[in-house]
Amino acid sequence: MKYRFIDYELSEGVATITLNRPDVLNSVNADMGREVQDALTHAAASAEVRCVLLTGKGRGFCAGQDLAEAAGPGAEDFDLGDAVARTYNPIVRQITSMEKPVVCAVNGVAAGAGANIALACDLVIAADTATFVQAFCRIGLVPDSGGTFFLPRLVGLARAKALAMLGDKIAAAQALEMGMIYRVVPADALEDEATNLARQLATQPTRGLGLIKQALHRSLANDLDAQLEVEREAQAAAGRTHDYAEGVRAFLEKRKPNFKGD
Ligand code: T3D
C-alpha cells in the first residue's frame, strides 16, 4: 500500500511509523487509520523488524479522531461504534498482540484515541513538552482505543476516573509520576533517545521479548495459579529459541551475545 498520511521506514531492525498530518496534529482520518493498520501488519509479519517505533510529525503526536471528518456529510447517520470497530480497535489489538516490542515516542500533544494508542504501546517515552488529554468527555464521548482498560491499570481507578471525566491536559512529567508512561526526556533529545531505545530492543532476543509481553498482558486477567502456568508455557517456548542457546553460550564464554531474534 502506498502511504499518504504516515511514513514508514526500516532501519537497523526498527520499523518507524510516523503519523504525518501535522497541520491537524496528526488526527486520524479513515485513510490514515487504514495505513497505520497496514504498516503494523507489515511490521508484525516481517522478520527484519524486531521493534516498532510509533511517533508523530510536527508539534503533536496525535489528536485522536479527525473531528472534521467525523462531522462531515452523513455524520448524523454514522455509528461511532462502527468507526471504533473499523479503526481503533484493530490498531490497539495489533499493537498489543504483536510479538515484538512497540515503543511510542510522544513528541507533543496526545489526545483522545491518540493518547490511548500511545498507552497501548509497550514502552512510552515522551518529550518534556508533550501532554496527554482524555479529550473524549469534552465532546460527550467515552474513552476508547483501550483507554478504559489501560488507564485504571496504569494509574489506578481514582485517577483514571478523574482523567476520563475531567479531560484535563496532563503534562508528561505528571504522566510519568502517575505511572502512565515509562520516561520523559528533553524535547530536543526525544528522537535520539527513542531511536536508541528501539535499536537496543531490536538487538535483544525478540521471541523472548514477545513472550514477556504476552505473559505480562495475560497477567492482567489471571489469578496467580493461571499465571504460573502462563510462565511455565512461556519459559518452555523461550527455552527452545536459538537466542536462549546463544545467551547461555555467550555468558559462559564471557562475551556479548549476538541475538538473531529467533
Ligand atoms: O468519532 C469517531 O469516529 C469515534 C472515535 C473517537 C476517538 C477520538 O479520538 S474522540 C476525541 C477526538 N479528539 C479530540 O477531541 C481532541 C480535539 N483537539 C483538541 O482538543 C486540541 O486540538 C488539542 C488539545 C489536542 C491541542 O490543542 P492546541 O491548542 O495545542 O491546538 P489546536 O489549535 O486546537 O489545534 C491545531 C489544529 O489542529 C487546529 O486546526 P487550525 O485551526 O490550525 O486549522 C485544529 O482544528 C486541528 N485539530 C486538532 N485536533 C483535531 C484537529 N482537527 C481535526 N480533528 C482533531 N481531533
Side-chain angles (χ1 to χ4, degrees):
M1 179 186 263
K2 194 161 161 37
Y3 299 140
R4 282 177 63 204
F5 300 117
I6 66 168
D7 297 332
Y8 183 94
E9 185 190 301
L10 175 63
S11 169
E12 298 190 34
V14 177
T16 301
I17 300 171
T18 306
L19 307 178
N20 189 3
R21 299 181 75 217
D23 293 350
V24 284
L25 303 178
N26 303 316
S27 58
V28 182
N29 61 14
D31 284 343
M32 183 200 268
R34 277 189 284 273
E35 291 180 12
V36 171
Q37 288 176 52
D38 185 79
L40 288 170
T41 301
H42 183 73
S46 167
E48 276 183 275
V49 176
R50 293 173 61 188
C51 181
V52 173
L53 174 59
L54 178 64
T55 191
K57 191 163 263 180
R59 75 173 180 89
F61 167 66
C62 175
Q65 171 63 37
D66 180 335
L67 295 177
E69 181 180 74
E76 52 291 345
D77 302 324
F78 194 62
D79 182 339
L80 295 195
D82 289 343
V84 168
R86 197 170 45 240
T87 301
Y88 300 105
N89 286 356
I91 290 173
V92 170
R93 288 193 175 108
Q94 283 177 295
I95 290 170
T96 53
S97 66
M98 194 178 307
E99 292 174 346
K100 37 190 112 174
V102 182
V103 173
C104 186
V106 183
N107 52 298
V109 64
N116 293 337
I117 287 170
L119 300 185
C121 295
D122 300 316
L123 274 75
V124 185
I125 178 169
D128 55 3
T129 50
T131 51
F132 295 82
V133 197
Q134 292 295 321
F136 308 89
C137 62
R138 295 181 177 190
I139 54 170
L141 292 184
V142 175
D144 59 20
S145 306
T148 61
F149 181 86
F150 290 114
L151 271 178
R153 286 167 172 79
L154 290 168
V155 304
L157 191 55
R159 282 171 157 172
K161 283 180 178 168
L163 292 168
M165 291 187 183
L166 297 172
D168 288 338
K169 200 185 259 191
I170 302 297
Q174 206 179 344
L176 179 68
E177 189 263 323
M178 285 184 185
M180 205 193 285
I181 60 174
Y182 163 60
R183 252 180 94 192
V184 177
V185 297
D188 60 5
L190 178 70
E191 192 177 334
D192 284 350
E193 293 282 348
T195 302
N196 289 342
L197 180 65
R199 284 187 181 159
Q200 181 196 337
L201 286 163
T203 64
Q204 297 306 299
T206 310
R207 180 91 184 97
L209 297 191
L211 288 162
I212 291 171
K213 172 172 172 171
Q214 190 183 57
L216 289 172
H217 283 173
R218 289 179 70 181
S219 81
L220 299 175
N222 276 343
D223 61 18
L224 175 62
D225 210 41
Q227 193 59 21
L228 289 173
E229 187 53 22
V230 167
E231 290 178 3
R232 189 196 63 73
E233 284 169 16
Q235 205 67 298
R240 289 191 288 269
T241 62
H242 292 112
D243 282 341
Y244 166 63
E246 164 63 5
V248 174
R249 225 173 16 243
F251 176 79
L252 295 175
E253 292 169 6
K254 299 192 186 305
R255 62 172 173 81
K256 272 186 74 172
N258 179 15
F259 295 122
K260 298 276 173 47
D262 58 356

